[in-house]
Amino acid sequence: ARFLLDADVTVAGRHPEDIWDADTGARIRQLVRRVLASRGSDTLAFSQQGRSFEARIAAHGRERALCVIRELTQAAADGERDG
């Protein structure tokens, strides 16, 4: 799948649909629009191929948003090993 990227792949400036499937890309794009309109921030939880992710999106000026997307599946597995 397209979302399985190597750590050294640059995604800055790319459209969400270039990285994620069409549905997830559209959801991310919609949330970015909402965040920019409110000049706030929001989160989105989603899954791809059995893996869970969280997107944190914050307005970064009037026309830009900062999107941080992390995999929750691995974080949960790491927590189970540590606990």
Side-chain angles (χ1 to χ4, degrees):
R2 290 183 293 181
F3 72 90
L4 299 175
L5 300 173
D6 294 326
D8 62 344
V9 173
T10 300
V11 296
R14 292 177 59 191
H15 297 283
E17 296 86 352
D18 295 340
I19 302 163
W20 305 94
D21 68 31
D23 180 56
T24 299
R27 291 172 60 202
I28 292 171
R29 184 180 291 276
Q30 180 181 19
L31 188 58
V32 166
R33 287 183 182 134
R34 190 167 48 224
V35 163
L36 288 174
S38 70
R39 298 234 168 56
S41 63
D42 208 340
T43 61
L44 172 69
F46 60 95
S47 296
Q48 297 266 299
Q49 295 183 348
R51 296 167 67 182
S52 298
F53 296 88
E54 176 189 58
R56 294 183 182 199
I57 302 171
H60 195 67
R62 291 183 173 182
E63 298 179 1
R64 292 181 183 258
L66 176 64
C67 302
V68 177
I69 301 176
R70 67 184 183 128
E71 183 177 359
L72 300 176
T73 309
Q74 187 61 45
D78 290 345
E80 290 174 5
R81 282 195 300 262
D82 294 340

XYZ file of all heavy atoms in Angstrom:
641
model
N 0.841 -1.188 0.000
C 0.000 0.000 0.000
C 0.876 1.238 0.000
O 2.005 1.208 0.456
C -0.907 -0.009 1.219
N 0.304 2.349 -0.434
C 1.074 3.578 -0.548
C 1.493 4.151 0.792
O 2.478 4.839 0.881
C 0.265 4.627 -1.296
C 0.101 4.291 -2.746
C -0.630 5.373 -3.443
N -1.993 5.434 -2.948
C -2.900 6.268 -3.367
N -2.590 7.148 -4.277
N -4.102 6.259 -2.901
N 0.749 3.892 1.862
C 1.057 4.523 3.131
C 2.239 3.893 3.849
O 2.724 4.441 4.817
C -0.165 4.560 4.053
C -0.527 3.215 4.619
C 0.009 2.797 5.812
C -1.400 2.390 3.964
C -0.320 1.567 6.338
C -1.748 1.171 4.482
C -1.195 0.750 5.667
N 2.699 2.768 3.405
C 3.851 2.131 4.041
C 5.122 2.744 3.469
O 5.646 2.306 2.463
C 3.815 0.616 3.808
C 2.590 -0.093 4.374
C 2.595 -1.561 3.973
C 2.550 0.036 5.883
N 5.607 3.780 4.126
C 6.745 4.540 3.632
C 7.985 4.247 4.442
O 7.915 3.991 5.638
C 6.438 6.043 3.709
C 5.245 6.531 2.903
C 4.971 7.986 3.226
C 5.493 6.361 1.424
N 9.120 4.332 3.806
C 10.378 4.248 4.518
C 10.571 5.520 5.317
O 10.069 6.585 4.955
C 11.543 4.079 3.537
C 11.489 2.744 2.812
O 11.038 1.759 3.431
O 11.898 2.695 1.640
N 11.347 5.453 6.376
C 11.559 6.607 7.244
C 12.219 7.770 6.513
O 12.031 8.918 6.890
C 12.395 6.197 8.447
N 12.970 7.502 5.462
C 13.687 8.582 4.782
C 12.898 9.194 3.613
O 13.409 10.046 2.901
C 15.044 8.092 4.295
C 14.937 6.955 3.285
O 13.867 6.348 3.175
O 15.934 6.681 2.619
N 11.645 8.803 3.431
C 10.823 9.350 2.350
C 10.240 10.687 2.794
O 9.664 10.805 3.874
C 9.680 8.376 1.974
C 8.732 9.011 0.979
C 10.254 7.096 1.418
N 10.398 11.718 1.970
C 9.859 13.033 2.270
C 8.422 13.130 1.793
O 8.135 12.844 0.632
C 10.700 14.133 1.585
O 12.039 14.039 2.062
C 10.148 15.506 1.874
N 7.535 13.524 2.687
C 6.134 13.674 2.326
C 5.675 15.123 2.428
O 4.536 15.426 2.093
C 5.224 12.762 3.182
C 5.534 11.304 2.917
C 5.339 13.090 4.646
N 6.545 16.005 2.870
C 6.186 17.420 3.004
C 5.731 17.974 1.659
O 6.371 17.765 0.635
C 7.376 18.214 3.524
N 4.601 18.654 1.687
C 4.074 19.281 0.482
C 3.280 18.362 -0.424
O 2.707 18.820 -1.406
N 3.218 17.076 -0.117
C 2.447 16.148 -0.945
C 0.996 16.140 -0.502
O 0.666 16.407 0.640
C 3.042 14.744 -0.850
C 4.420 14.688 -1.505
C 5.097 13.369 -1.383
N 4.324 12.282 -1.978
C 4.633 11.008 -1.799
N 5.671 10.664 -1.079
N 3.908 10.075 -2.365
N 0.108 15.805 -1.418
C -1.320 15.713 -1.123
C -1.596 14.421 -0.354
O -0.949 13.389 -0.610
C -2.134 15.731 -2.411
C -1.990 17.008 -3.170
N -2.635 18.166 -2.807
C -1.250 17.317 -4.254
C -2.315 19.120 -3.641
N -1.476 18.640 -4.535
N -2.570 14.438 0.563
C -2.876 13.225 1.335
C -3.204 12.021 0.451
O -2.835 10.890 0.763
C -4.090 13.625 2.174
C -4.076 15.106 2.221
C -3.399 15.562 0.957
N -3.881 12.268 -0.675
C -4.259 11.175 -1.572
C -3.054 10.545 -2.259
O -3.158 9.446 -2.806
C -5.254 11.672 -2.623
C -6.569 12.146 -2.060
C -6.563 13.615 -1.624
O -5.484 14.253 -1.616
O -7.642 14.120 -1.283
N -1.908 11.231 -2.245
C -0.682 10.664 -2.811
C -0.039 9.661 -1.866
O 0.829 8.894 -2.282
C 0.341 11.769 -3.116
C -0.121 12.710 -4.200
O -1.013 12.333 -4.981
O 0.420 13.832 -4.258
N -0.435 9.696 -0.602
C 0.207 8.878 0.420
C -0.725 7.794 0.940
O -0.328 6.650 1.108
C 0.681 9.768 1.583
C 1.643 10.841 1.056
C 1.335 8.941 2.686
C 1.856 11.996 1.993
N -1.993 8.155 1.188
C -2.984 7.257 1.768
C -4.003 6.858 0.710
O -4.010 7.408 -0.379
C -3.682 7.954 2.939
C -2.694 8.444 3.953
C -2.151 9.693 4.019
C -2.077 7.692 4.991
N -1.252 9.752 5.047
C -1.182 8.547 5.664
C -2.202 6.375 5.433
C -0.427 8.132 6.746
C -1.445 5.961 6.519
C -0.564 6.826 7.160
N -4.887 5.920 1.050
C -5.928 5.547 0.091
C -6.883 6.726 -0.105
O -6.850 7.708 0.643
C -6.652 4.268 0.519
C -7.499 4.427 1.771
O -8.029 5.523 2.025
O -7.632 3.432 2.501
N -7.721 6.656 -1.119
C -8.564 7.788 -1.516
C -9.488 8.240 -0.384
O -9.635 9.444 -0.141
C -9.375 7.435 -2.758
N -10.109 7.309 0.331
C -11.032 7.660 1.405
C -10.302 8.368 2.543
O -10.728 9.417 3.017
C -11.755 6.416 1.928
C -12.711 6.734 3.050
O -13.611 7.580 2.849
O -12.561 6.149 4.146
N -9.206 7.810 2.985
C -8.438 8.413 4.078
C -7.857 9.752 3.649
O -7.896 10.726 4.405
C -7.319 7.466 4.550
O -7.929 6.255 5.023
C -6.491 8.085 5.648
N -7.338 9.822 2.443
C -6.812 11.086 1.931
C -7.873 12.166 1.916
O -7.621 13.314 2.296
N -9.089 11.805 1.510
C -10.192 12.771 1.478
C -10.571 13.216 2.888
O -10.859 14.397 3.117
C -11.401 12.165 0.771
N -10.570 12.296 3.850
C -10.879 12.643 5.238
C -9.830 13.589 5.806
O -10.162 14.556 6.498
C -10.989 11.386 6.090
C -12.213 10.552 5.750
C -12.232 9.211 6.448
N -12.219 9.360 7.897
C -11.813 8.415 8.725
N -11.376 7.254 8.261
N -11.839 8.607 10.023
N -8.563 13.318 5.515
C -7.480 14.195 5.984
C -7.619 15.575 5.343
O -7.522 16.598 6.020
C -6.108 13.571 5.703
C -5.907 12.329 6.581
C -4.984 14.594 5.930
C -4.683 11.504 6.229
N -7.855 15.612 4.053
C -8.005 16.894 3.338
C -9.186 17.693 3.906
O -9.084 18.902 4.111
C -8.201 16.654 1.850
C -8.275 17.943 1.038
C -8.457 17.670 -0.421
N -7.283 17.078 -1.021
C -6.245 17.792 -1.466
N -6.244 19.088 -1.363
N -5.221 17.182 -2.019
N -10.308 17.025 4.180
C -11.475 17.697 4.750
C -11.141 18.283 6.127
O -11.532 19.413 6.439
C -12.634 16.716 4.847
C -13.892 17.314 5.434
C -15.015 16.295 5.541
O -14.788 15.091 5.511
N -16.239 16.776 5.667
N -10.426 17.525 6.943
C -10.060 18.003 8.271
C -9.093 19.192 8.179
O -9.209 20.147 8.938
C -9.450 16.876 9.100
C -9.199 17.199 10.568
C -10.486 17.621 11.276
C -8.582 16.001 11.268
N -8.172 19.142 7.223
C -7.257 20.269 7.021
C -8.062 21.522 6.685
O -7.807 22.603 7.242
C -6.217 19.953 5.918
C -5.495 21.218 5.479
C -5.218 18.910 6.408
N -9.029 21.407 5.809
C -9.862 22.565 5.447
C -10.595 23.124 6.662
O -10.666 24.339 6.863
C -10.857 22.183 4.357
C -10.231 22.007 3.009
C -11.283 21.707 1.957
N -10.661 21.482 0.673
C -10.962 20.499 -0.138
N -11.903 19.634 0.174
N -10.337 20.350 -1.296
N -11.152 22.217 7.475
C -11.879 22.647 8.669
C -10.945 23.341 9.664
O -11.281 24.373 10.245
C -12.570 21.445 9.311
C -13.541 21.832 10.395
C -14.447 20.708 10.834
N -13.728 19.480 11.108
C -14.145 18.285 10.688
N -15.237 18.157 9.972
N -13.456 17.209 10.999
N -9.749 22.786 9.852
C -8.764 23.366 10.765
C -8.318 24.745 10.276
O -8.199 25.687 11.061
C -7.566 22.402 10.925
C -6.352 23.100 11.495
C -7.961 21.218 11.798
N -8.087 24.873 8.975
C -7.679 26.174 8.439
C -8.789 27.213 8.601
O -8.522 28.373 8.921
C -7.276 26.049 6.968
C -5.947 25.345 6.714
C -5.734 25.159 5.221
C -4.790 26.090 7.346
N -10.031 26.809 8.400
C -11.157 27.728 8.534
C -11.310 28.218 9.970
O -11.624 29.382 10.211
C -12.450 27.071 8.063
N -11.055 27.339 10.930
C -11.208 27.696 12.347
C -9.911 28.213 12.956
O -9.919 28.706 14.080
C -11.692 26.484 13.139
O -10.665 25.507 13.233
N -8.811 28.055 12.224
C -7.465 28.398 12.701
C -7.150 27.668 14.013
O -6.494 28.193 14.896
C -7.314 29.895 12.876
C -7.479 30.660 11.602
C -6.328 31.550 11.327
N -6.275 32.118 9.998
C -7.195 32.838 9.382
N -8.330 33.068 9.957
N -6.990 33.324 8.179
N -7.641 26.442 14.101
C -7.456 25.647 15.308
C -6.679 24.375 15.024
O -5.788 24.359 14.168
N -7.058 23.316 15.715
C -6.432 22.012 15.524
C -7.470 20.930 15.779
O -8.511 21.178 16.381
C -5.233 21.839 16.458
O -5.657 21.873 17.802
N -7.163 19.718 15.311
C -8.083 18.597 15.491
C -7.311 17.311 15.277
O -6.160 17.324 14.820
C -9.242 18.694 14.496
C -10.515 18.035 15.011
O -10.439 17.198 15.939
O -11.580 18.357 14.482
N -7.931 16.195 15.606
C -7.315 14.883 15.415
C -8.246 13.981 14.623
O -9.458 14.199 14.571
C -6.990 14.198 16.760
O -8.198 14.015 17.487
C -6.011 15.018 17.576
N -7.660 12.977 14.013
C -8.398 11.993 13.236
C -7.758 10.633 13.461
O -6.546 10.478 13.270
C -8.341 12.348 11.743
C -8.901 11.323 10.765
C -10.418 11.238 10.906
C -8.521 11.683 9.336
N -8.550 9.665 13.889
C -8.071 8.291 14.027
C -8.555 7.503 12.816
O -9.691 7.671 12.365
C -8.609 7.670 15.311
N -7.671 6.662 12.267
C -8.055 5.853 11.114
C -7.207 4.596 11.071
O -6.193 4.490 11.759
C -7.926 6.652 9.808
C -6.542 7.153 9.497
C -5.693 6.422 8.672
C -6.091 8.358 10.012
C -4.423 6.888 8.378
C -4.831 8.836 9.719
C -3.995 8.095 8.903
N -7.634 3.635 10.277
C -6.923 2.367 10.122
C -6.652 2.093 8.658
O -7.447 2.470 7.787
C -7.740 1.214 10.698
O -7.910 1.362 12.077
N -5.549 1.443 8.399
C -5.169 0.998 7.058
C -4.546 -0.383 7.201
O -3.607 -0.542 7.991
C -4.138 1.941 6.443
C -4.615 3.352 6.230
C -5.147 3.560 4.847
O -4.442 3.400 3.867
N -6.408 3.912 4.777
N -5.071 -1.338 6.502
C -4.531 -2.698 6.470
C -4.240 -3.245 7.870
O -3.179 -3.780 8.145
C -3.268 -2.748 5.624
C -3.530 -2.445 4.169
C -2.296 -2.570 3.315
O -1.182 -2.680 3.816
N -2.490 -2.555 2.018
N -5.208 -3.067 8.779
C -5.077 -3.611 10.123
C -4.158 -2.829 11.048
O -3.877 -3.269 12.158
N -3.699 -1.681 10.620
C -2.824 -0.840 11.444
C -3.561 0.439 11.790
O -4.239 1.016 10.956
C -1.534 -0.532 10.687
C -0.728 -1.797 10.407
C 0.360 -1.583 9.406
N 1.403 -0.703 9.922
C 2.459 -0.334 9.214
N 2.595 -0.758 7.964
N 3.377 0.448 9.731
N -3.437 0.889 13.034
C -4.141 2.078 13.509
C -3.221 3.286 13.502
O -2.052 3.188 13.878
C -4.655 1.852 14.932
O -5.566 0.786 14.947
N -3.774 4.431 13.107
C -3.021 5.677 13.020
C -3.810 6.810 13.651
O -5.036 6.747 13.748
C -2.744 6.041 11.552
C -1.869 5.072 10.841
C -2.421 3.971 10.205
C -0.495 5.238 10.800
C -1.619 3.051 9.541
C 0.310 4.327 10.141
C -0.249 3.235 9.511
N -3.088 7.856 14.058
C -3.706 9.086 14.537
C -3.069 10.249 13.796
O -1.846 10.344 13.720
C -3.470 9.263 16.031
C -4.014 10.575 16.567
C -3.592 10.833 17.994
O -2.371 10.880 18.261
O -4.486 10.982 18.829
N -3.910 11.125 13.256
C -3.441 12.341 12.598
C -3.778 13.519 13.499
O -4.916 13.657 13.937
C -4.113 12.518 11.241
N -2.780 14.336 13.785
C -2.986 15.592 14.511
C -2.698 16.709 13.526
O -1.605 16.769 12.965
C -2.069 15.689 15.713
C -2.398 14.659 16.766
C -1.530 14.809 17.969
N -1.854 13.776 18.924
C -1.532 13.848 20.207
N -0.879 14.884 20.662
N -1.866 12.866 21.008
N -3.684 17.557 13.325
C -3.584 18.593 12.302
C -3.819 19.939 12.967
O -4.791 20.113 13.703
C -4.605 18.340 11.177
C -4.358 16.940 10.577
C -4.528 19.430 10.120
C -5.407 16.472 9.614
N -2.914 20.886 12.707
C -3.019 22.224 13.284
C -2.773 23.261 12.202
O -1.909 23.080 11.335
C -2.004 22.396 14.409
N -3.545 24.361 12.270
C -3.330 25.475 11.348
C -1.934 26.042 11.601
O -1.497 26.172 12.740
C -4.395 26.538 11.556
N -1.258 26.342 10.531
C 0.098 26.900 10.597
C 0.131 28.087 9.635
O 0.697 28.011 8.551
C 1.109 25.819 10.204
C 2.513 26.124 10.552
N 2.950 26.196 11.849
C 3.586 26.372 9.781
C 4.236 26.469 11.851
N 4.638 26.589 10.607
N -0.577 29.143 10.039
C -0.787 30.265 9.152
C -2.164 30.168 8.518
O -2.984 29.329 8.889
N -2.413 31.020 7.536
C -3.735 31.054 6.914
C -3.953 29.981 5.860
O -5.069 29.578 5.593
C -3.961 32.412 6.263
C -4.103 33.509 7.264
C -4.383 34.806 6.586
N -4.687 35.807 7.591
C -5.014 37.029 7.310
N -5.079 37.429 6.061
N -5.265 37.878 8.271
N -2.884 29.540 5.216
C -3.029 28.608 4.102
C -2.234 27.319 4.257
O -2.143 26.539 3.325
C -2.602 29.303 2.802
C -3.455 30.499 2.458
C -3.003 31.187 1.189
O -2.030 30.709 0.567
O -3.615 32.199 0.823
N -1.661 27.109 5.425
C -0.851 25.905 5.642
C -1.273 25.210 6.926
O -1.697 25.846 7.873
C 0.632 26.248 5.730
C 1.208 26.736 4.432
C 2.685 27.028 4.596
N 3.217 27.572 3.376
C 3.925 26.879 2.506
N 4.196 25.612 2.737
N 4.374 27.435 1.415
N -1.122 23.912 6.906
C -1.426 23.119 8.094
C -0.254 22.189 8.369
O 0.411 21.723 7.448
C -2.695 22.307 7.895
N -0.023 21.942 9.636
C 0.986 20.983 10.055
C 0.257 19.697 10.417
O -0.649 19.695 11.255
C 1.752 21.512 11.265
C 2.774 20.564 11.874
C 3.896 20.286 10.881
C 3.324 21.151 13.158
N 0.632 18.606 9.758
C 0.003 17.304 9.995
C 1.044 16.347 10.548
O 2.064 16.098 9.900
C -0.563 16.731 8.704
S -1.761 17.790 7.895
N 0.780 15.829 11.729
C 1.642 14.822 12.330
C 0.823 13.543 12.404
O -0.234 13.509 13.035
C 2.113 15.241 13.735
C 2.944 14.141 14.378
C 2.885 16.549 13.673
N 1.306 12.509 11.731
C 0.584 11.240 11.695
C 1.483 10.177 12.287
O 2.621 10.008 11.863
C 0.162 10.876 10.262
C -0.740 11.980 9.704
C -0.545 9.514 10.247
C -1.144 11.800 8.262
N 0.958 9.497 13.296
C 1.752 8.451 13.938
C 0.974 7.152 13.976
O -0.260 7.151 14.002
C 2.176 8.858 15.346
C 1.032 8.976 16.307
C 1.505 9.473 17.655
N 0.392 9.499 18.586
C 0.419 8.934 19.770
N 1.492 8.298 20.191
N -0.631 9.003 20.551
N 1.727 6.075 13.969
C 1.095 4.759 14.036
C 0.843 4.406 15.488
O 1.760 4.418 16.314
C 1.956 3.691 13.378
C 1.285 2.341 13.385
C 2.063 1.252 12.677
O 3.151 1.531 12.148
O 1.561 0.121 12.670
N -0.400 4.112 15.813
C -0.763 3.732 17.170
C -0.568 2.244 17.407
O -0.359 1.824 18.531
C -2.215 4.116 17.462
C -2.535 5.603 17.354
C -4.017 5.829 17.581
C -1.708 6.407 18.321
N -0.644 1.462 16.352
C -0.497 0.018 16.471
C 0.842 -0.319 17.097
O 0.923 -1.095 18.049
C -0.604 -0.665 15.091
O -1.780 -0.218 14.450
C -0.630 -2.170 15.225
N 1.925 0.268 16.599
C 3.266 0.002 17.116
C 3.426 0.548 18.521
O 4.024 -0.085 19.377
C 4.335 0.598 16.205
C 5.742 0.209 16.592
C 5.981 -1.299 16.545
O 5.592 -1.964 15.598
N 6.595 -1.836 17.575
N 2.859 1.724 18.808
C 2.952 2.314 20.145
C 2.275 1.415 21.171
O 2.788 1.226 22.273
C 2.332 3.705 20.149
N 1.136 0.845 20.821
C 0.440 -0.058 21.727
C 1.250 -1.320 21.968
O 1.354 -1.800 23.088
C -0.943 -0.417 21.173
N 1.866 -1.853 20.918
C 2.686 -3.045 21.054
C 3.909 -2.755 21.929
O 4.286 -3.570 22.775
C 3.125 -3.553 19.687
N 4.518 -1.594 21.764
C 5.667 -1.224 22.590
C 5.268 -1.101 24.054
O 5.991 -1.533 24.945
C 6.268 0.103 22.126
C 6.975 -0.006 20.772
O 7.248 -1.146 20.345
O 7.225 1.048 20.163
N 4.078 -0.534 24.311
C 3.590 -0.398 25.673
C 3.322 -1.739 26.324
O 3.582 -1.930 27.514
N 2.831 -2.694 25.552
C 2.574 -4.036 26.095
C 3.881 -4.716 26.481
O 3.957 -5.400 27.482
C 1.829 -4.882 25.067
C 0.398 -4.433 24.849
C -0.282 -5.190 23.726
O 0.327 -6.128 23.167
O -1.411 -4.828 23.390
N 4.927 -4.506 25.695
C 6.226 -5.114 26.019
C 6.837 -4.459 27.256
O 7.474 -5.107 28.058
C 7.183 -4.976 24.846
C 6.924 -5.961 23.744
C 8.118 -6.020 22.799
N 8.358 -4.709 22.203
C 7.953 -4.337 21.005
N 7.277 -5.182 20.265
N 8.210 -3.160 20.524
N 6.641 -3.134 27.407
C 7.234 -2.417 28.522
C 6.502 -2.704 29.828
O 7.087 -2.609 30.897
C 7.219 -0.905 28.270
C 8.125 -0.507 27.112
O 9.020 -1.316 26.771
O 7.923 0.593 26.561
N 5.205 -2.984 29.734
C 4.366 -3.144 30.926
C 4.522 -4.463 31.527
O 4.517 -4.890 32.571
